Protein backbone atom coordinates (compact mmCIF):
# COMPACT_ATOMS: atom_id res chain seq x y z
CA UNK A 1 0.00 0.00 0.00
CA UNK A 2 2.91 2.37 0.70
CA UNK A 3 4.72 1.50 -2.51
CA UNK A 4 7.59 -0.44 -0.92
CA UNK A 5 9.67 -2.45 -3.38
CA UNK A 6 10.41 -5.22 -0.89
CA UNK A 7 9.28 -6.80 2.35
CA UNK A 8 10.69 -9.66 4.36
CA UNK A 9 10.72 -12.01 7.32
CA UNK A 10 12.56 -11.71 10.63
CA UNK A 11 12.93 -14.54 13.14
CA UNK A 12 13.01 -12.99 16.60
CA UNK A 13 12.90 -13.99 20.24
CA UNK A 14 9.64 -13.05 21.92
CA UNK A 15 9.83 -10.63 24.85
CA UNK A 16 7.20 -8.84 26.93
CA UNK A 17 7.29 -5.62 24.89
CA UNK A 18 5.68 -5.54 21.45
CA UNK A 19 8.22 -6.34 18.68
CA UNK A 20 11.13 -5.79 21.06
CA UNK A 21 12.93 -9.12 20.97
CA UNK A 22 16.38 -9.62 19.43
CA UNK A 23 16.58 -10.95 15.88
CA UNK A 24 18.39 -14.10 14.75
CA UNK A 25 17.60 -13.91 11.04
CA UNK A 26 16.32 -11.23 8.64
CA UNK A 27 15.52 -11.93 4.98
CA UNK A 28 14.26 -9.62 2.22
CA UNK A 29 11.78 -10.44 -0.53
CA UNK A 30 10.94 -8.27 -3.56
CA UNK A 31 7.28 -7.37 -4.12
CA UNK A 32 6.07 -8.08 -7.65
CA UNK A 33 4.57 -5.20 -9.64
CA UNK A 34 1.17 -6.89 -10.01
CA UNK A 35 1.43 -9.20 -6.99
CA UNK A 36 -1.45 -9.06 -4.51
CA UNK A 37 -1.46 -9.57 -0.76
CA UNK A 38 -2.62 -13.21 -0.93
CA UNK A 39 0.19 -14.17 -3.33
CA UNK A 40 2.81 -12.28 -1.36
CA UNK A 41 1.61 -13.85 1.90
CA UNK A 42 2.14 -17.34 0.48
CA UNK A 43 5.71 -16.50 -0.52
CA UNK A 44 6.37 -14.94 2.88
CA UNK A 45 4.97 -18.01 4.65
CA UNK A 46 7.29 -20.31 2.70
CA UNK A 47 10.28 -18.07 3.45
CA UNK A 48 9.33 -17.90 7.15
CA UNK A 49 9.13 -21.69 7.43
CA UNK A 50 12.58 -22.04 5.85
CA UNK A 51 14.19 -19.40 8.09
CA UNK A 52 12.58 -20.66 11.31
CA UNK A 53 13.95 -24.14 10.60
CA UNK A 54 17.44 -22.66 10.02
CA UNK A 55 17.33 -20.69 13.29
CA UNK A 56 16.11 -23.71 15.28
CA UNK A 57 19.04 -25.71 13.90
CA UNK A 58 21.45 -22.93 14.92
CA UNK A 59 19.94 -22.80 18.42
CA UNK A 60 20.34 -26.56 18.78
CA UNK A 61 23.97 -26.31 17.63
CA UNK A 62 24.57 -23.35 19.98
CA UNK A 63 25.54 -21.18 16.98
CA UNK A 64 22.71 -18.64 17.06
CA UNK A 65 23.54 -14.93 17.28
CA UNK A 66 20.84 -12.59 18.60
CA UNK A 67 20.96 -8.97 17.42
CA UNK A 68 19.00 -6.41 19.48
CA UNK A 69 16.44 -4.30 17.62
CA UNK A 70 16.74 -0.52 17.57
CA UNK A 71 13.55 0.86 19.18
CA UNK A 72 13.95 4.05 17.12
CA UNK A 73 13.26 2.04 13.96
CA UNK A 74 9.92 0.66 15.13
CA UNK A 75 6.88 1.49 12.99
CA UNK A 76 3.17 0.86 13.42
CA UNK A 77 0.94 -0.61 10.71
CA UNK A 78 -2.36 1.26 10.87
CA UNK A 79 -5.56 -0.79 10.99
CA UNK A 80 -7.46 -0.84 7.70
CA UNK A 81 -10.86 0.85 7.86
CA UNK A 82 -13.90 0.36 5.63
CA UNK A 83 -13.18 3.62 3.84
CA UNK A 84 -9.75 2.33 2.79
CA UNK A 85 -11.46 -0.08 0.37
CA UNK A 86 -13.10 2.70 -1.66
CA UNK A 87 -11.15 3.88 -4.70
CA UNK A 88 -11.06 7.66 -5.12
CA UNK A 89 -10.44 7.97 -8.85
CA UNK A 90 -9.12 11.51 -8.44
CA UNK A 91 -5.94 9.99 -6.98
CA UNK A 92 -2.93 9.08 -9.18
CA UNK A 93 -3.15 5.79 -11.07
CA UNK A 94 -0.09 4.25 -9.36
CA UNK A 95 -1.48 5.06 -5.90
CA UNK A 96 -4.76 3.37 -6.84
CA UNK A 97 -2.97 0.35 -8.29
CA UNK A 98 -1.02 -0.09 -5.05
CA UNK A 99 -4.27 0.02 -3.06
CA UNK A 100 -5.91 -2.51 -5.38
CA UNK A 101 -3.08 -5.03 -5.05
CA UNK A 102 -2.64 -4.46 -1.31
CA UNK A 103 -6.33 -5.15 -0.61
CA UNK A 104 -6.78 -8.10 -3.01
CA UNK A 105 -8.43 -10.47 -2.76
CA UNK A 106 -9.94 -9.42 0.58
CA UNK A 107 -11.34 -7.01 1.57
CA UNK A 108 -10.83 -5.72 -1.97
CA UNK A 109 -10.80 -2.23 -3.47
CA UNK A 110 -14.13 -1.14 -4.93
CA UNK A 111 -15.70 1.22 -7.43
CA UNK A 112 -19.26 1.64 -8.67
CA UNK A 113 -19.70 0.98 -12.39
CA UNK A 114 -22.63 2.99 -13.73
CA UNK A 115 -24.01 1.86 -17.11
CA UNK A 116 -27.46 2.18 -18.65
CA UNK A 117 -28.76 3.92 -15.55
CA UNK A 118 -27.84 0.98 -13.30
CA UNK A 119 -24.98 0.85 -10.80
CA UNK A 120 -22.90 -2.27 -10.17
CA UNK A 121 -20.39 -2.55 -7.35
CA UNK A 122 -17.08 -3.97 -8.55
CA UNK A 123 -13.89 -5.06 -6.86
CA UNK A 124 -10.81 -4.48 -9.00
CA UNK A 125 -8.47 -7.31 -8.03
CA UNK A 126 -5.55 -6.72 -10.37
CA UNK A 127 -4.65 -3.86 -12.67
CA UNK A 128 -2.05 -2.22 -14.85
CA UNK A 129 -1.61 1.52 -15.34
CA UNK A 130 -0.91 3.77 -18.30
CA UNK A 131 -0.14 7.45 -18.64
CA UNK A 132 -2.47 9.80 -20.44
CA UNK A 133 -1.47 10.55 -24.02
CA UNK A 134 -0.41 14.08 -24.87
CA UNK A 135 -3.49 16.31 -24.76
CA UNK A 136 -5.65 13.77 -22.93
CA UNK A 137 -7.45 15.07 -19.84
CA UNK A 138 -10.48 12.86 -19.22
CA UNK A 139 -12.59 13.34 -16.12
CA UNK A 140 -11.66 10.86 -13.34
CA UNK A 141 -14.04 7.93 -13.59
CA UNK A 142 -14.46 8.22 -17.36
CA UNK A 143 -14.30 4.91 -19.24
CA UNK A 144 -12.65 4.11 -22.56
CA UNK A 145 -13.22 0.78 -24.35
CA UNK A 146 -11.81 1.70 -27.77
CA UNK A 147 -8.07 1.30 -27.20
CA UNK A 148 -6.42 -1.80 -28.77
CA UNK A 149 -4.85 -4.07 -26.16
CA UNK A 150 -6.78 -2.41 -23.32
CA UNK A 151 -10.39 -3.65 -23.27
CA UNK A 152 -11.30 -1.27 -20.42
CA UNK A 153 -9.53 1.90 -19.28
CA UNK A 154 -10.70 3.95 -16.29
CA UNK A 155 -9.46 7.53 -15.99
CA UNK A 156 -7.83 8.61 -12.72
CA UNK A 157 -6.26 11.83 -11.51
CA UNK A 158 -3.18 11.44 -13.69
CA UNK A 159 -3.50 8.35 -15.91
CA UNK A 160 -5.46 5.22 -16.72
CA UNK A 161 -6.27 2.12 -14.69
CA UNK A 162 -6.40 -0.95 -16.95
CA UNK A 163 -8.20 -3.63 -14.90
CA UNK A 164 -6.95 -7.17 -15.45
CA UNK A 165 -9.23 -9.02 -13.02
CA UNK A 166 -12.50 -7.88 -11.43
CA UNK A 167 -15.35 -9.27 -9.34
CA UNK A 168 -19.04 -8.35 -9.16
CA UNK A 169 -21.00 -8.58 -5.91
CA UNK A 170 -21.81 -12.24 -5.24
CA UNK A 171 -19.84 -13.36 -8.29
CA UNK A 172 -16.49 -14.96 -8.93
CA UNK A 173 -13.32 -13.22 -10.01
CA UNK A 174 -13.18 -12.79 -13.79
CA UNK A 175 -10.59 -11.76 -16.32
CA UNK A 176 -11.60 -8.39 -17.80
CA UNK A 177 -12.31 -9.91 -21.25
CA UNK A 178 -14.68 -12.48 -19.71
CA UNK A 179 -16.46 -9.79 -17.71
CA UNK A 180 -16.99 -7.54 -20.73
CA UNK A 181 -18.44 -10.40 -22.79
CA UNK A 182 -21.38 -10.49 -20.41
CA UNK A 183 -21.64 -6.79 -19.51
CA UNK A 184 -22.63 -4.15 -22.04
CA UNK A 185 -21.01 -0.74 -21.58
CA UNK A 186 -22.84 2.09 -23.32
CA UNK A 187 -21.67 5.61 -24.09
CA UNK A 188 -22.83 6.81 -20.66
CA UNK A 189 -20.78 4.24 -18.70
CA UNK A 190 -18.49 5.61 -16.02
CA UNK A 191 -17.14 4.77 -12.56
CA UNK A 192 -17.91 6.45 -9.26
CA UNK A 193 -16.66 5.84 -5.71
CA UNK A 194 -18.43 2.89 -4.12
CA UNK A 195 -20.34 3.30 -0.89
CA UNK A 196 -19.43 0.92 1.97
CA UNK A 197 -22.91 -0.66 1.85
CA UNK A 198 -22.53 -1.36 -1.86
CA UNK A 199 -19.11 -3.01 -1.80
CA UNK A 200 -19.00 -6.56 -3.19
CA UNK A 201 -18.89 -9.32 -0.59
Amino acid sequence: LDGDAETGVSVMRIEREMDAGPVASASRLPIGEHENTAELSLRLAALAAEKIAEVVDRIEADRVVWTPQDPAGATLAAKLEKGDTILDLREPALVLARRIHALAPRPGASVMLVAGGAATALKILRTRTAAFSSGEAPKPGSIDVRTPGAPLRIATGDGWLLPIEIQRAGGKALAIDDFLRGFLLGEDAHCEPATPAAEPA
Side-chain angles (χ1 to χ4, degrees):
L1 186 59
D2 288 337
D4 294 336
E6 61 183 13
T7 182
V9 168
S10 294
V11 182
M12 56 182 279
R13 190 172 66 210
I14 299 298
E15 294 192 353
R16 186 175 298 275
E17 296 82 5
M18 177 70 74
D19 290 336
V23 176
S25 171
S27 304
R28 297 174 182 270
L29 197 64
I31 300 173
E33 182 182 2
H34 301 129
E35 189 171 32
N36 66 31
T37 288
E39 294 161 344
L40 182 59
S41 295
L42 287 174
R43 292 205 296 133
L44 285 169
L47 179 61
E50 175 188 337
K51 295 304 175 181
I52 288 171
E54 289 179 5
V55 170
V56 168
D57 287 343
R58 295 210 301 266
I59 291 172
E60 183 180 35
D62 198 25
R63 293 187 292 104
V64 67
V65 176
W66 298 102
T67 303
Q69 295 192 59
D70 180 2
T75 58
L76 178 66
K79 181 180 178 181
L80 290 173
E81 304 290 345
K82 198 73 170 175
D84 293 323
T85 67
I86 299 172
L87 295 173
D88 182 349
L89 295 171
R90 296 170 299 180
E91 292 187 323
L94 287 175
V95 171
L96 293 168
R98 292 202 309 255
R99 183 175 300 276
I100 286 165
H101 296 142
L103 299 181
R106 292 188 179 276
S110 300
V111 294
M112 194 72 73
L113 176 60
V114 181
T120 302
L122 291 179
K123 284 184 186 178
I124 303 177
L125 301 176
R126 199 183 309 272
T127 191
R128 295 183 290 124
T129 63
F132 288 147
S133 299
S134 178
E136 274 189 327
K139 180 181 178 181
S142 302
I143 286 177
D144 171 59
V145 293
R146 300 181 300 262
T147 301
L152 175 65
R153 301 195 305 170
I154 304 171
T156 72
D158 74 346
W160 297 100
L161 284 181
L162 286 65
I164 297 170
E165 186 179 19
I166 60 177
Q167 181 181 12
R168 294 173 68 176
K172 64 179 182 179
L174 294 173
I176 190 64
D177 289 324
D178 294 334
F179 170 76
L180 291 174
R181 273 194 283 272
F183 198 98
L184 184 62
L185 294 176
E187 291 295 324
D188 65 335
H190 63 279
C191 287
E192 299 176 354
T195 59
E199 291 171 20

